[in-house]
mmCIF file of all heavy atoms in Angstrom:
data_model
loop_
_atom_site.group_PDB
_atom_site.id
_atom_site.type_symbol
_atom_site.label_atom_id
_atom_site.label_comp_id
_atom_site.label_asym_id
_atom_site.label_seq_id
_atom_site.Cartn_x
_atom_site.Cartn_y
_atom_site.Cartn_z
ATOM 1 N N VAL T 918 -17.661 -19.009 29.944
ATOM 2 C CA VAL T 918 -16.412 -19.568 29.421
ATOM 3 C C VAL T 918 -15.612 -18.481 28.717
ATOM 4 O O VAL T 918 -16.110 -17.825 27.795
ATOM 5 C CB VAL T 918 -16.699 -20.731 28.449
ATOM 6 C CG1 VAL T 918 -15.412 -21.216 27.794
ATOM 7 C CG2 VAL T 918 -17.384 -21.873 29.190
ATOM 8 N N LEU T 919 -14.373 -18.323 29.146
ATOM 9 C CA LEU T 919 -13.446 -17.378 28.517
ATOM 10 C C LEU T 919 -12.577 -18.161 27.544
ATOM 11 O O LEU T 919 -11.758 -18.992 27.953
ATOM 12 C CB LEU T 919 -12.586 -16.698 29.589
ATOM 13 C CG LEU T 919 -11.780 -15.467 29.164
ATOM 14 C CD1 LEU T 919 -12.710 -14.319 28.774
ATOM 15 C CD2 LEU T 919 -10.838 -15.027 30.276
ATOM 16 N N MET T 920 -12.772 -17.917 26.256
ATOM 17 C CA MET T 920 -12.000 -18.624 25.232
ATOM 18 C C MET T 920 -10.539 -18.168 25.261
ATOM 19 O O MET T 920 -10.221 -17.092 25.768
ATOM 20 C CB MET T 920 -12.619 -18.376 23.864
ATOM 21 C CG MET T 920 -13.972 -19.037 23.660
ATOM 22 S SD MET T 920 -13.856 -20.838 23.580
ATOM 23 C CE MET T 920 -13.083 -21.061 21.960
ATOM 24 N N PRO T 921 -9.622 -18.981 24.698
ATOM 25 C CA PRO T 921 -8.202 -18.632 24.734
ATOM 26 C C PRO T 921 -7.909 -17.305 24.033
ATOM 27 O O PRO T 921 -8.629 -16.890 23.116
ATOM 28 C CB PRO T 921 -7.529 -19.786 23.986
ATOM 29 C CG PRO T 921 -8.496 -20.904 24.044
ATOM 30 C CD PRO T 921 -9.857 -20.279 24.061
ATOM 31 N N SER T 922 -6.844 -16.660 24.450
ATOM 32 C CA SER T 922 -6.422 -15.405 23.833
ATOM 33 C C SER T 922 -5.970 -15.635 22.398
ATOM 34 O O SER T 922 -5.328 -16.640 22.087
ATOM 35 C CB SER T 922 -5.267 -14.790 24.640
ATOM 36 O OG SER T 922 -4.778 -13.638 24.003
ATOM 37 N N VAL T 923 -6.307 -14.695 21.517
ATOM 38 C CA VAL T 923 -5.900 -14.793 20.114
ATOM 39 C C VAL T 923 -5.108 -13.556 19.673
ATOM 40 O O VAL T 923 -4.736 -13.437 18.515
ATOM 41 C CB VAL T 923 -7.127 -14.969 19.190
ATOM 42 C CG1 VAL T 923 -7.805 -16.304 19.440
ATOM 43 C CG2 VAL T 923 -8.118 -13.821 19.380
ATOM 44 N N MET T 924 -4.873 -12.635 20.605
ATOM 45 C CA MET T 924 -4.231 -11.377 20.238
ATOM 46 C C MET T 924 -3.029 -11.120 21.140
ATOM 47 O O MET T 924 -2.964 -11.603 22.263
ATOM 48 C CB MET T 924 -5.208 -10.198 20.365
ATOM 49 C CG MET T 924 -6.423 -10.277 19.489
ATOM 50 S SD MET T 924 -7.562 -8.904 19.787
ATOM 51 C CE MET T 924 -6.570 -7.502 19.281
ATOM 52 N N LYS T 925 -2.095 -10.330 20.601
ATOM 53 C CA LYS T 925 -0.992 -9.815 21.394
ATOM 54 C C LYS T 925 -1.000 -8.308 21.258
ATOM 55 O O LYS T 925 -0.716 -7.775 20.180
ATOM 56 C CB LYS T 925 0.352 -10.378 20.904
ATOM 57 C CG LYS T 925 0.684 -11.756 21.442
ATOM 58 C CD LYS T 925 2.114 -12.154 21.078
ATOM 59 C CE LYS T 925 2.471 -13.494 21.703
ATOM 60 N NZ LYS T 925 3.861 -13.888 21.366
ATOM 61 N N TYR T 926 -1.352 -7.637 22.320
ATOM 62 C CA TYR T 926 -1.379 -6.179 22.251
ATOM 63 C C TYR T 926 0.046 -5.651 22.338
ATOM 64 O O TYR T 926 0.807 -6.004 23.232
ATOM 65 C CB TYR T 926 -2.225 -5.603 23.385
ATOM 66 C CG TYR T 926 -2.275 -4.095 23.350
ATOM 67 C CD1 TYR T 926 -3.146 -3.446 22.490
ATOM 68 C CD2 TYR T 926 -1.422 -3.321 24.134
ATOM 69 C CE1 TYR T 926 -3.192 -2.068 22.428
ATOM 70 C CE2 TYR T 926 -1.459 -1.946 24.077
ATOM 71 C CZ TYR T 926 -2.342 -1.322 23.221
ATOM 72 O OH TYR T 926 -2.378 0.045 23.145
ATOM 73 N N GLN T 927 0.391 -4.813 21.391
ATOM 74 C CA GLN T 927 1.704 -4.190 21.388
ATOM 75 C C GLN T 927 1.555 -2.700 21.159
ATOM 76 O O GLN T 927 0.744 -2.267 20.344
ATOM 77 C CB GLN T 927 2.592 -4.788 20.286
ATOM 78 C CG GLN T 927 2.966 -6.247 20.541
ATOM 79 C CD GLN T 927 3.845 -6.800 19.429
ATOM 80 O OE1 GLN T 927 3.639 -6.509 18.257
ATOM 81 N NE2 GLN T 927 4.817 -7.604 19.802
ATOM 82 N N ILE T 928 2.339 -1.938 21.886
ATOM 83 C CA ILE T 928 2.327 -0.502 21.708
ATOM 84 C C ILE T 928 2.770 -0.164 20.282
ATOM 85 O O ILE T 928 3.766 -0.689 19.782
ATOM 86 C CB ILE T 928 3.268 0.192 22.711
ATOM 87 C CG1 ILE T 928 2.792 -0.054 24.145
ATOM 88 C CG2 ILE T 928 3.352 1.687 22.431
ATOM 89 C CD1 ILE T 928 1.456 0.551 24.469
ATOM 90 N N SER T 929 2.014 0.695 19.620
ATOM 91 C CA SER T 929 2.365 1.135 18.267
ATOM 92 C C SER T 929 2.866 2.566 18.319
ATOM 93 O O SER T 929 2.245 3.438 18.933
ATOM 94 C CB SER T 929 1.149 1.054 17.339
ATOM 95 O OG SER T 929 1.439 1.630 16.080
ATOM 96 N N PHE T 930 3.998 2.799 17.673
ATOM 97 C CA PHE T 930 4.546 4.141 17.606
ATOM 98 C C PHE T 930 4.276 4.795 16.246
ATOM 99 O O PHE T 930 4.811 5.843 15.936
ATOM 100 C CB PHE T 930 6.057 4.105 17.902
ATOM 101 C CG PHE T 930 6.364 3.674 19.296
ATOM 102 C CD1 PHE T 930 6.644 2.347 19.585
ATOM 103 C CD2 PHE T 930 6.338 4.586 20.337
ATOM 104 C CE1 PHE T 930 6.909 1.938 20.886
ATOM 105 C CE2 PHE T 930 6.606 4.193 21.636
ATOM 106 C CZ PHE T 930 6.896 2.867 21.914
ATOM 107 N N GLU T 931 3.401 4.136 15.467
ATOM 108 C CA GLU T 931 2.981 4.672 14.183
ATOM 109 C C GLU T 931 1.646 5.395 14.358
ATOM 110 O O GLU T 931 0.843 5.029 15.213
ATOM 111 C CB GLU T 931 2.825 3.545 13.153
ATOM 112 C CG GLU T 931 4.110 2.783 12.867
ATOM 113 C CD GLU T 931 5.181 3.667 12.252
ATOM 114 O OE1 GLU T 931 4.814 4.561 11.461
ATOM 115 O OE2 GLU T 931 6.370 3.472 12.572
ATOM 116 N N PRO T 932 1.376 6.423 13.545
ATOM 117 C CA PRO T 932 0.070 7.094 13.640
ATOM 118 C C PRO T 932 -1.057 6.131 13.288
ATOM 119 O O PRO T 932 -0.898 5.280 12.407
ATOM 120 C CB PRO T 932 0.176 8.238 12.627
ATOM 121 C CG PRO T 932 1.276 7.838 11.697
ATOM 122 C CD PRO T 932 2.235 7.025 12.504
ATOM 123 N N MET T 933 -2.166 6.268 13.959
ATOM 124 C CA MET T 933 -3.280 5.359 13.724
ATOM 125 C C MET T 933 -3.972 5.641 12.394
ATOM 126 O O MET T 933 -4.490 4.739 11.752
ATOM 127 C CB MET T 933 -4.294 5.472 14.860
ATOM 128 C CG MET T 933 -3.712 5.098 16.206
ATOM 129 S SD MET T 933 -4.963 5.022 17.469
ATOM 130 C CE MET T 933 -5.912 3.645 16.891
ATOM 131 N N ALA T 934 -4.012 6.895 12.005
ATOM 132 C CA ALA T 934 -4.630 7.267 10.727
ATOM 133 C C ALA T 934 -3.534 7.687 9.758
ATOM 134 O O ALA T 934 -2.528 8.285 10.164
ATOM 135 C CB ALA T 934 -5.623 8.401 10.925
ATOM 136 N N ARG T 935 -3.721 7.356 8.503
ATOM 137 C CA ARG T 935 -2.725 7.780 7.514
ATOM 138 C C ARG T 935 -3.398 8.037 6.173
ATOM 139 O O ARG T 935 -4.467 7.490 5.874
ATOM 140 C CB ARG T 935 -1.614 6.739 7.357
ATOM 141 C CG ARG T 935 -2.058 5.414 6.790
ATOM 142 C CD ARG T 935 -0.930 4.405 6.790
ATOM 143 N NE ARG T 935 -1.350 3.124 6.220
ATOM 144 C CZ ARG T 935 -1.263 2.822 4.927
ATOM 145 N NH1 ARG T 935 -0.789 3.713 4.067
ATOM 146 N NH2 ARG T 935 -1.656 1.644 4.477
ATOM 147 N N ARG T 936 -2.750 8.877 5.398
ATOM 148 C CA ARG T 936 -3.172 9.128 4.023
ATOM 149 C C ARG T 936 -2.135 8.539 3.073
ATOM 150 O O ARG T 936 -1.007 8.264 3.463
ATOM 151 C CB ARG T 936 -3.326 10.627 3.773
ATOM 152 C CG ARG T 936 -4.486 11.274 4.559
ATOM 153 C CD ARG T 936 -4.777 12.659 4.001
ATOM 154 N NE ARG T 936 -5.834 13.337 4.743
ATOM 155 C CZ ARG T 936 -7.133 13.186 4.511
ATOM 156 N NH1 ARG T 936 -7.532 12.356 3.558
ATOM 157 N NH2 ARG T 936 -8.030 13.852 5.198
ATOM 158 N N HIS T 937 -2.543 8.363 1.834
ATOM 159 C CA HIS T 937 -1.585 7.923 0.827
ATOM 160 C C HIS T 937 -0.515 8.994 0.630
ATOM 161 O O HIS T 937 -0.792 10.197 0.676
ATOM 162 C CB HIS T 937 -2.291 7.670 -0.509
ATOM 163 C CG HIS T 937 -2.853 6.292 -0.636
ATOM 164 N ND1 HIS T 937 -2.067 5.164 -0.609
ATOM 165 C CD2 HIS T 937 -4.138 5.857 -0.817
ATOM 166 C CE1 HIS T 937 -2.817 4.096 -0.760
ATOM 167 N NE2 HIS T 937 -4.081 4.481 -0.884
ATOM 168 N N THR T 938 0.699 8.537 0.407
ATOM 169 C CA THR T 938 1.793 9.416 0.007
ATOM 170 C C THR T 938 2.030 9.248 -1.485
ATOM 171 O O THR T 938 1.460 8.345 -2.122
ATOM 172 C CB THR T 938 3.078 9.067 0.763
ATOM 173 O OG1 THR T 938 3.469 7.716 0.403
ATOM 174 C CG2 THR T 938 2.861 9.132 2.271
ATOM 175 N N GLU T 939 2.868 10.086 -2.051
ATOM 176 C CA GLU T 939 3.211 9.929 -3.465
ATOM 177 C C GLU T 939 3.811 8.549 -3.718
ATOM 178 O O GLU T 939 3.527 7.921 -4.742
ATOM 179 C CB GLU T 939 4.193 11.029 -3.896
ATOM 180 C CG GLU T 939 3.565 12.409 -4.014
ATOM 181 C CD GLU T 939 4.522 13.430 -4.612
ATOM 182 O OE1 GLU T 939 5.536 13.000 -5.204
ATOM 183 O OE2 GLU T 939 4.255 14.633 -4.497
ATOM 184 N N GLU T 940 4.615 8.084 -2.779
ATOM 185 C CA GLU T 940 5.249 6.782 -2.945
ATOM 186 C C GLU T 940 4.224 5.652 -2.874
ATOM 187 O O GLU T 940 4.258 4.715 -3.689
ATOM 188 C CB GLU T 940 6.311 6.579 -1.872
ATOM 189 C CG GLU T 940 7.054 5.244 -1.954
ATOM 190 C CD GLU T 940 7.771 5.043 -3.285
ATOM 191 O OE1 GLU T 940 8.181 6.040 -3.918
ATOM 192 O OE2 GLU T 940 7.900 3.867 -3.708
ATOM 193 N N SER T 941 3.296 5.715 -1.924
ATOM 194 C CA SER T 941 2.304 4.640 -1.810
ATOM 195 C C SER T 941 1.343 4.643 -3.000
ATOM 196 O O SER T 941 0.902 3.583 -3.452
ATOM 197 C CB SER T 941 1.534 4.752 -0.492
ATOM 198 O OG SER T 941 0.761 5.938 -0.433
ATOM 199 N N LEU T 942 1.024 5.825 -3.531
ATOM 200 C CA LEU T 942 0.190 5.887 -4.733
ATOM 201 C C LEU T 942 0.929 5.322 -5.937
ATOM 202 O O LEU T 942 0.343 4.626 -6.780
ATOM 203 C CB LEU T 942 -0.250 7.324 -5.007
ATOM 204 C CG LEU T 942 -1.339 7.883 -4.086
ATOM 205 C CD1 LEU T 942 -1.543 9.365 -4.327
ATOM 206 C CD2 LEU T 942 -2.665 7.128 -4.278
ATOM 207 N N LYS T 943 2.227 5.584 -6.007
ATOM 208 C CA LYS T 943 3.036 5.027 -7.096
ATOM 209 C C LYS T 943 3.041 3.507 -7.022
ATOM 210 O O LYS T 943 2.894 2.814 -8.042
ATOM 211 C CB LYS T 943 4.460 5.564 -7.011
ATOM 212 C CG LYS T 943 5.391 5.030 -8.089
ATOM 213 C CD LYS T 943 6.814 5.574 -7.911
ATOM 214 C CE LYS T 943 7.754 4.965 -8.952
ATOM 215 N NZ LYS T 943 9.150 5.410 -8.756
ATOM 216 N N GLN T 944 3.171 2.970 -5.810
ATOM 217 C CA GLN T 944 3.153 1.520 -5.641
ATOM 218 C C GLN T 944 1.783 0.939 -5.989
ATOM 219 O O GLN T 944 1.685 -0.150 -6.566
ATOM 220 C CB GLN T 944 3.527 1.169 -4.205
ATOM 221 C CG GLN T 944 4.971 1.476 -3.850
ATOM 222 C CD GLN T 944 5.254 1.266 -2.374
ATOM 223 O OE1 GLN T 944 4.378 0.944 -1.579
ATOM 224 N NE2 GLN T 944 6.517 1.467 -1.988
ATOM 225 N N THR T 945 0.725 1.675 -5.672
ATOM 226 C CA THR T 945 -0.626 1.218 -6.005
ATOM 227 C C THR T 945 -0.829 1.172 -7.514
ATOM 228 O O THR T 945 -1.506 0.280 -8.048
ATOM 229 C CB THR T 945 -1.681 2.150 -5.371
ATOM 230 O OG1 THR T 945 -1.507 2.151 -3.957
ATOM 231 C CG2 THR T 945 -3.098 1.705 -5.700
ATOM 232 N N ALA T 946 -0.233 2.134 -8.211
ATOM 233 C CA ALA T 946 -0.381 2.197 -9.668
ATOM 234 C C ALA T 946 0.414 1.109 -10.382
ATOM 235 O O ALA T 946 0.064 0.698 -11.486
ATOM 236 C CB ALA T 946 0.041 3.569 -10.178
ATOM 237 N N GLU T 947 1.500 0.651 -9.755
ATOM 238 C CA GLU T 947 2.329 -0.376 -10.393
ATOM 239 C C GLU T 947 1.608 -1.722 -10.338
ATOM 240 O O GLU T 947 1.126 -2.142 -9.292
ATOM 241 C CB GLU T 947 3.673 -0.470 -9.687
ATOM 242 C CG GLU T 947 4.548 0.760 -9.904
ATOM 243 C CD GLU T 947 5.832 0.717 -9.095
ATOM 244 O OE1 GLU T 947 5.963 -0.202 -8.245
ATOM 245 O OE2 GLU T 947 6.693 1.587 -9.298
ATOM 246 N N TYR T 948 1.569 -2.386 -11.476
ATOM 247 C CA TYR T 948 0.837 -3.655 -11.568
ATOM 248 C C TYR T 948 1.595 -4.603 -12.501
ATOM 249 O O TYR T 948 1.257 -4.748 -13.668
ATOM 250 C CB TYR T 948 -0.576 -3.404 -12.089
ATOM 251 C CG TYR T 948 -1.487 -4.613 -12.072
ATOM 252 C CD1 TYR T 948 -1.432 -5.545 -11.048
ATOM 253 C CD2 TYR T 948 -2.421 -4.810 -13.079
ATOM 254 C CE1 TYR T 948 -2.271 -6.641 -11.022
ATOM 255 C CE2 TYR T 948 -3.280 -5.908 -13.074
ATOM 256 C CZ TYR T 948 -3.196 -6.815 -12.040
ATOM 257 O OH TYR T 948 -4.036 -7.906 -12.024
ATOM 258 N N PRO T 949 2.623 -5.258 -11.969
ATOM 259 C CA PRO T 949 3.422 -6.134 -12.823
ATOM 260 C C PRO T 949 2.631 -7.341 -13.296
ATOM 261 O O PRO T 949 1.679 -7.784 -12.639
ATOM 262 C CB PRO T 949 4.577 -6.557 -11.900
ATOM 263 C CG PRO T 949 4.029 -6.409 -10.527
ATOM 264 C CD PRO T 949 3.081 -5.258 -10.575
ATOM 265 N N ILE T 950 3.002 -7.872 -14.437
ATOM 266 C CA ILE T 950 2.356 -9.065 -14.975
ATOM 267 C C ILE T 950 2.935 -10.271 -14.236
ATOM 268 O O ILE T 950 4.111 -10.588 -14.359
ATOM 269 C CB ILE T 950 2.595 -9.194 -16.487
ATOM 270 C CG1 ILE T 950 1.967 -8.004 -17.215
ATOM 271 C CG2 ILE T 950 2.017 -10.509 -17.014
ATOM 272 C CD1 ILE T 950 2.270 -7.955 -18.691
ATOM 273 N N THR T 951 2.123 -10.916 -13.446
ATOM 274 C CA THR T 951 2.575 -12.058 -12.655
ATOM 275 C C THR T 951 1.607 -13.204 -12.842
ATOM 276 O O THR T 951 0.489 -13.032 -13.329
ATOM 277 C CB THR T 951 2.628 -11.707 -11.155
ATOM 278 O OG1 THR T 951 1.346 -11.229 -10.750
ATOM 279 C CG2 THR T 951 3.666 -10.631 -10.883
ATOM 280 N N LYS T 952 2.043 -14.383 -12.437
ATOM 281 C CA LYS T 952 1.193 -15.559 -12.533
ATOM 282 C C LYS T 952 0.085 -15.462 -11.498
ATOM 283 O O LYS T 952 0.324 -15.230 -10.318
ATOM 284 C CB LYS T 952 2.015 -16.826 -12.286
ATOM 285 C CG LYS T 952 1.209 -18.115 -12.433
ATOM 286 C CD LYS T 952 2.098 -19.324 -12.209
ATOM 287 C CE LYS T 952 1.280 -20.617 -12.343
ATOM 288 N NZ LYS T 952 2.135 -21.818 -12.121
ATOM 289 N N VAL T 953 -1.152 -15.626 -11.958
ATOM 290 C CA VAL T 953 -2.287 -15.570 -11.046
ATOM 291 C C VAL T 953 -2.365 -16.877 -10.269
ATOM 292 O O VAL T 953 -2.387 -17.961 -10.855
ATOM 293 C CB VAL T 953 -3.604 -15.324 -11.811
ATOM 294 C CG1 VAL T 953 -4.785 -15.344 -10.844
ATOM 295 C CG2 VAL T 953 -3.544 -14.004 -12.547
ATOM 296 N N ARG T 954 -2.383 -16.790 -8.972
ATOM 297 C CA ARG T 954 -2.451 -17.979 -8.132
ATOM 298 C C ARG T 954 -3.865 -18.139 -7.588
ATOM 299 O O ARG T 954 -4.456 -17.181 -7.097
ATOM 300 C CB ARG T 954 -1.462 -17.860 -6.966
ATOM 301 C CG ARG T 954 -0.017 -17.772 -7.434
ATOM 302 C CD ARG T 954 0.923 -17.603 -6.255
ATOM 303 N NE ARG T 954 2.312 -17.499 -6.705
ATOM 304 C CZ ARG T 954 3.344 -17.290 -5.898
ATOM 305 N NH1 ARG T 954 3.127 -17.149 -4.596
ATOM 306 N NH2 ARG T 954 4.561 -17.213 -6.378
ATOM 307 N N PRO T 955 -4.416 -19.345 -7.667
ATOM 308 C CA PRO T 955 -5.777 -19.540 -7.147
ATOM 309 C C PRO T 955 -5.812 -19.320 -5.640
ATOM 310 O O PRO T 955 -4.861 -19.642 -4.924
ATOM 311 C CB PRO T 955 -6.084 -21.001 -7.507
ATOM 312 C CG PRO T 955 -4.743 -21.642 -7.657
ATOM 313 C CD PRO T 955 -3.830 -20.577 -8.193
ATOM 314 N N ARG T 956 -6.915 -18.774 -5.169
ATOM 315 C CA ARG T 956 -7.065 -18.566 -3.736
ATOM 316 C C ARG T 956 -7.245 -19.906 -3.042
ATOM 317 O O ARG T 956 -7.942 -20.793 -3.524
ATOM 318 C CB ARG T 956 -8.257 -17.660 -3.454
ATOM 319 C CG ARG T 956 -8.092 -16.269 -4.012
ATOM 320 C CD ARG T 956 -9.263 -15.384 -3.653
ATOM 321 N NE ARG T 956 -9.316 -15.134 -2.214
ATOM 322 C CZ ARG T 956 -10.237 -14.367 -1.642
ATOM 323 N NH1 ARG T 956 -11.167 -13.803 -2.369
ATOM 324 N NH2 ARG T 956 -10.236 -14.178 -0.348
ATOM 325 N N GLN T 957 -6.612 -20.053 -1.885
ATOM 326 C CA GLN T 957 -6.700 -21.290 -1.128
ATOM 327 C C GLN T 957 -7.273 -21.007 0.252
ATOM 328 O O GLN T 957 -7.010 -19.964 0.850
ATOM 329 C CB GLN T 957 -5.314 -21.934 -1.000
ATOM 330 C CG GLN T 957 -4.718 -22.338 -2.346
ATOM 331 C CD GLN T 957 -3.333 -22.940 -2.183
ATOM 332 O OE1 GLN T 957 -2.667 -22.715 -1.180
ATOM 333 N NE2 GLN T 957 -2.909 -23.710 -3.158
ATOM 334 N N ARG T 958 -8.045 -21.946 0.737
ATOM 335 C CA ARG T 958 -8.603 -21.806 2.082
ATOM 336 C C ARG T 958 -7.471 -21.869 3.098
ATOM 337 O O ARG T 958 -6.614 -22.754 3.056
ATOM 338 C CB ARG T 958 -9.626 -22.906 2.342
ATOM 339 C CG ARG T 958 -10.286 -22.806 3.723
ATOM 340 C CD ARG T 958 -11.303 -23.926 3.898
ATOM 341 N NE ARG T 958 -12.420 -23.773 2.997
ATOM 342 C CZ ARG T 958 -13.478 -23.017 3.250
ATOM 343 N NH1 ARG T 958 -13.545 -22.335 4.388
ATOM 344 N NH2 ARG T 958 -14.473 -22.937 2.387
ATOM 345 N N ARG T 959 -7.479 -20.924 4.027
ATOM 346 C CA ARG T 959 -6.458 -20.909 5.058
ATOM 347 C C ARG T 959 -6.738 -21.989 6.097
ATOM 348 O O ARG T 959 -7.870 -22.243 6.458
ATOM 349 C CB ARG T 959 -6.423 -19.545 5.753
ATOM 350 C CG ARG T 959 -6.020 -18.404 4.829
ATOM 351 C CD ARG T 959 -6.159 -17.077 5.562
ATOM 352 N NE ARG T 959 -5.825 -15.957 4.680
ATOM 353 C CZ ARG T 959 -6.014 -14.694 5.014
ATOM 354 N NH1 ARG T 959 -6.522 -14.382 6.193
ATOM 355 N NH2 ARG T 959 -5.690 -13.728 4.170
ATOM 356 N N ALA T 960 -5.671 -22.598 6.585
ATOM 357 C CA ALA T 960 -5.823 -23.584 7.639
ATOM 358 C C ALA T 960 -6.304 -22.894 8.913
ATOM 359 O O ALA T 960 -5.983 -21.736 9.177
ATOM 360 C CB ALA T 960 -4.491 -24.280 7.888
#
């Protein structure tokens, strides 16, 4: 039995491997005070 497809293959023009940049590290360091939302089970 071949189960239904769950993926859509699309050509990616982005590099497969990447390192953090100064900008992405800056975003990682930023941690605004926000309301914590409880985790919910996905449908």
Side-chain angles (χ1 to χ4, degrees):
V918 174
L919 193 65
M920 291 291 288
S922 175
V923 294
M924 299 176 64
K925 277 188 176 180
Y926 180 81
Q927 293 180 321
I928 297 295
S929 173
F930 295 94
E931 298 297 324
M933 299 188 66
R935 65 185 181 90
R936 293 194 182 275
H937 273 298
T938 63
E939 288 187 16
E940 180 59 29
S941 65
L942 286 172
K943 179 182 177 183
Q944 292 173 357
T945 301
E947 291 175 352
Y948 187 37
I950 297 174
T951 55
K952 183 179 179 180
V953 177
R954 298 178 181 177
R956 296 183 67 179
Q957 297 179 339
R958 182 179 293 275
R959 296 174 182 172

